[in-house]
Amino acid sequence: MKQILNIAYYEMMHILKERVLFLMIFFVPLLYASLFGLVYVSGILQHVPLGIVDLDHSKESRDVVSAFENTPDFKVIPEVTTYAALEKGMKTGLIRAGVVIPEDYSQKLSQHQLTQILTIYDGSNLIYGFNTRKYFQQVLNTFSADHTAAYLSGLGMTKHEITNVMDTVSYSMEIWYNPTLSYATFIYMGLALMIFQQIGLLGIGLTATREKERNTWIQFLSAAVSPWKIFLGKALPYYIANFFNYGLVMWVAVRFVNVKIEGSVALIVLLGLLFDIIVVSAGFVVSVYVPNSLLVTRYLMLISVPIFVSSGYSWPSTHIPKIINELVRLMPYTWMAEGFRLLTVKNLGFSYLVDKIIVLIVMAAISLFFALTFSKRRKPPAQTGLAVNGSISYPDKSCLRL
């Protein structure tokens, strides 16, 4: 135990001395989490910039304009009053949606003829497009219902009769799990878990390569210290720091970004502990067998984007090609992200997460096995490649003594 703690102390001293490494482990996760939090803090897209072209200029058309002005979903831009201005505004990004009221709107309305209001939205951004289409339907459905009720009232029908006519067919709608359709609840924790994984892998992934580049790894390999003790000593500071970051990011998510995080605290902790074991163990194995820090950095950078995109977190796995689905199921992030969402957003219990937990346990056991039993056979250090950990420092031999 003393050897493990001595190695852990030695590794912690390196973390504290290496300014970049220290910032990466203790501040970058919080920095990234705060940055993403600022981006997604609103959660719900409102005040969509809207241009209205009123070609009728009647009382009836002004009622339509008022319906859009009196909803928080849209923000009417007064500078846009012509079709040419509408086109220009859509091109420049001044507006994201438009409404064109035809010049014969009031005339057709008075004659009870079919009249159409043209609605336009910018589909180049799907988030804007999805929400704008929904908001258009809400505003125009409400306006149409009010207009119909006013017409029936003019015919002398009572309020009760109008209600019976208009409510012949009705429906109710409920949104479960994310009732506000908050984009922050949908995407934020997926990005945060990816940060947790990549920073954790990079931190532990530079431990052995740092020693190789300084030619001090030989002291660990030649010392009478078991491989599992070297791993535990090297990994302990990173394991603690990663789990601290896991809790810190969730606190930021709940406190400042208003992300929905519910479910059993014990299960949240269990998922975090298992994922942390996998990240630290896998990162150490990479560090042992990859020759230098530059290659470690390259490999980890290459895998981050594909894993997130194809994991099924942001795009449904049912609509991802089967071969890609099978490949990403080999990655712990896929199981962790899906399990975390089921737990924190849907508030599901252990019985719904058991398959995810079992897979993470198996992955943790496999990664731990390879980390604890790495070969102490010396390999010649790489002669080329950038040393990410550049300062010169040597381990105190006392950390390897019995």
Side-chain angles (χ1 to χ4, degrees):
M1 188 62 184
K2 184 177 180 181
Q3 289 178 325
I4 295 173
L5 293 178
N6 284 338
I7 295 174
Y9 173 80
Y10 161 72
E11 191 64 32
M12 195 64 204
M13 289 301 100
H14 268 297
I15 295 174
L16 296 176
K17 290 178 182 179
E18 297 281 353
R19 183 178 301 175
V20 174
L21 184 60
F22 177 79
L23 292 175
M24 181 180 71
I25 292 174
F26 290 102
F27 288 96
V28 168
L30 179 59
L31 175 64
Y32 281 10
S34 301
L35 175 61
F36 290 141
L38 290 173
V39 171
Y40 299 118
V41 67
S42 59
I44 304 171
L45 185 67
Q46 289 185 310
H47 308 296
V48 177
L50 175 71
I52 300 180
V53 180
D54 184 1
L55 300 177
D56 193 48
H57 300 290
S58 63
K59 177 185 179 300
E60 290 78 7
S61 66
R62 285 194 293 273
D63 290 340
V64 177
V65 175
S66 297
F68 284 100
E69 288 177 335
N70 294 328
T71 175
D73 297 328
F74 289 104
K75 178 184 178 182
V76 176
I77 306 300
E79 295 86 352
V80 180
T81 57
T82 65
Y83 196 84
L86 178 65
E87 287 185 319
K88 183 178 179 181
M90 292 284 276
K91 291 177 181 178
T92 60
L94 174 65
I95 58 174
R96 293 287 182 170
V99 174
V100 179
I101 304 173
E103 57 187 5
D104 58 352
Y105 173 76
S106 59
Q107 178 184 348
K108 286 189 174 182
L109 206 63
S110 63
Q111 297 172 357
H112 309 300
Q113 296 179 7
L114 177 64
T115 180
Q116 291 185 332
I117 296 174
L118 176 63
T119 58
I120 307 164
Y121 62 87
D122 184 353
S124 63
N125 185 310
L126 292 181
I127 303 301
Y128 262 120
F130 168 78
N131 285 277
T132 302
R133 182 175 181 177
K134 178 183 67 174
Y135 296 156
F136 272 145
Q137 291 173 339
Q138 291 173 349
V139 172
L140 293 176
N141 285 345
T142 300
F143 178 81
S144 178
D146 291 343
H147 172 76
T148 303
Y151 173 72
L152 294 176
S153 177
L155 296 178
M157 296 180 66
T158 66
K159 184 177 180 181
H160 179 70
E161 291 173 331
I162 293 173
T163 301
N164 289 337
V165 170
M166 297 189 67
D167 290 347
T168 303
V169 178
S170 65
Y171 70 93
S172 62
M173 180 182 295
E174 294 182 359
I175 302 175
W176 292 4
Y177 308 125
N178 187 9
T180 61
L181 296 177
S182 169
Y183 195 73
T185 295
F186 164 62
I187 199 69
Y188 181 83
M189 284 311 300
L191 293 172
L193 290 173
M194 180 55 65
I195 295 170
F196 175 80
Q197 172 183 283
Q198 293 305 110
I199 297 300
L201 285 172
L202 187 57
I204 187 70
L206 299 177
T207 54
T209 55
R210 176 190 64 225
E211 308 294 349
K212 296 173 189 176
E213 289 160 358
R214 297 171 181 175
N215 206 26
T216 57
W217 186 234
I218 183 63
Q219 296 191 41
F220 290 94
L221 299 181
S222 60
V225 181
S226 302
W228 66 271
K229 290 184 178 180
I230 296 175
F231 162 68
L232 291 180
K234 285 281 191 182
L236 186 59
Y238 297 96
Y239 187 82
I240 295 173
N242 289 346
F243 194 74
F244 169 78
N245 287 328
Y246 177 71
L248 180 63
V249 168
M250 282 196 292
W251 178 76
V252 170
V254 174
R255 181 66 177 82
F256 298 105
V257 193
N258 299 319
V259 173
K260 178 183 178 182
I261 296 182
E262 298 180 349
S264 166
V265 175
L267 287 177
I268 292 175
V269 171
L270 176 61
L271 288 176
L273 291 174
L274 291 174
F275 195 50
D276 197 3
I277 290 173
I278 297 170
V279 167
V280 172
S281 304
F284 182 79
V285 172
V286 170
S287 186
V288 167
Y289 293 105
V290 174
N292 58 59
S293 302
L294 178 61
L295 288 178
V296 170
T297 307
R298 284 175 175 173
Y299 294 157
L300 296 182
M301 287 179 63
L302 287 173
I303 67 172
S304 59
V305 173
I307 288 177
F308 180 75
V309 170
S310 57
S311 66
Y313 192 91
S314 60
W315 183 253
S317 58
T318 53
H319 291 69
I320 296 176
K322 184 177 180 180
I323 186 171
I324 296 179
N325 262 327
E326 295 302 323
L327 288 175
V328 296
R329 286 171 69 84
L330 300 175
M331 303 295 177
Y333 175 84
T334 304
W335 298 92
M336 174 63 184
E338 180 60 23
F340 193 87
R341 172 180 278 171
L342 293 177
L343 172 59
T344 59
V345 178
K346 290 191 172 184
N347 195 8
L348 300 182
F350 179 80
S351 60
Y352 293 92
L353 303 176
V354 64
D355 57 331
K356 278 73 175 178
I357 293 174
I358 290 175
V359 171
L360 289 175
I361 289 174
V362 171
M363 289 182 173
I366 293 173
S367 57
L368 263 178
F369 172 78
F370 285 105
L372 292 169
T373 60
F374 75 91
S375 174
K376 291 185 67 176
R377 192 183 317 168
R378 186 189 182 191
K379 295 182 179 180
Q383 298 302 315
T384 58
L386 175 67
V388 175
N389 303 277
S391 64
I392 299 175
S393 178
Y394 299 97
D396 186 348
K397 292 183 178 179
S398 63
C399 76
L400 303 177
R401 293 174 184 165
L402 294 175

